[in-house]
Amino acid sequence: MIDVRREVCSAVDQIVAYRESAIALFASEPAYEVGIEAIRKILLNVENLMDVLELLKSRPELSDGAVFTAVVGLKVGASIAAELGQVIGNWGIFDPAWGARKTALERGSGLAEMAQARSNGVRTAHKLGPSRSAIKIKKKYLPLAEAITDARLQNAGAPKYDIAGTYY
């Protein structure tokens, strides 16, 4: 049997990690296809995590704190999906509003901090470990954003960076 509290916390932690990654990618102004591919992958994963949270939030074994964590996580996920969807649906690498998209996601930092604090509280109350998936997400996308920024500033062409492999 799965521990639904752990699953809720893990999903929320992953959504928050994807938010940080999206902010870093938007800051890098990903004018290369590898950046857009990363944004597509993040969008898909955030949407999947939102589906998971939607299913889990009504489970009777969840504590009130875990339910609230799921609800806040869904709101954070919705704001990420809206910004990422604009890029994928309308502009791709030619998006003229990278800075505005980054700012829009940063405006939600209070909500993201609340989601993370709630998740940490549930983890502590139920003696759950940290989300290794969230750590892996940051390790995958934050260096990519740095590589894109460096390549763009040096006019060096797209960075040689592979985002294939894991589902992150």
Side-chain angles (χ1 to χ4, degrees):
M1 182 161 145
I2 65 166
D3 184 342
V4 292
R5 293 172 299 223
R6 178 185 306 278
E7 294 303 316
V8 165
C9 291
S10 182
V12 169
D13 292 349
Q14 289 177 62
I15 286 173
V16 171
Y18 280 127
R19 178 187 169 274
E20 291 175 29
S21 299
I23 288 171
L25 282 166
F26 287 171
S28 76
E29 299 180 11
Y32 305 108
E33 194 56 40
V34 68
I36 299 304
E37 245 345 276
I39 289 171
R40 276 189 194 98
K41 201 167 195 180
I42 289 172
L43 176 60
L44 176 65
N45 288 329
V46 167
E47 289 173 340
N48 288 340
L49 289 165
M50 289 171 60
D51 289 344
V52 167
L53 287 174
E54 194 63 48
L55 292 171
L56 291 176
K57 75 178 185 181
S58 60
R59 295 286 294 265
E61 56 268 49
L62 286 182
S63 63
D64 290 345
V67 171
F68 185 74
T69 300
V71 169
V72 175
L74 282 165
K75 290 182 182 202
V76 173
S79 70
I80 297 167
E83 291 303 321
L84 296 175
Q86 285 294 316
V87 172
I88 300 305
N90 297 321
W91 297 101
I93 61 174
F94 304 107
D95 192 337
W98 292 118
R101 297 200 192 290
K102 176 181 170 277
T103 301
L105 285 181
E106 288 174 332
R107 270 195 300 267
S109 64
L111 193 59
E113 289 169 9
M114 182 188 305
Q116 191 69 69
R118 279 299 198 169
S119 176
N120 291 342
V122 171
R123 284 182 183 287
T124 301
H126 298 285
K127 296 178 176 69
L128 303 173
S131 171
R132 290 186 295 275
S133 296
I135 294 166
K136 290 176 183 177
I137 289 163
K138 290 179 187 178
K139 283 184 179 178
K140 182 172 189 165
Y141 292 106
L142 297 180
L144 172 60
E146 288 177 24
I148 290 172
T149 298
D150 292 344
R152 191 177 44 77
L153 293 175
Q154 296 170 12
N155 202 22
K160 302 291 185 245
Y161 203 92
D162 184 17
I163 62 165
T166 65
Y167 69 91
Y168 302 110

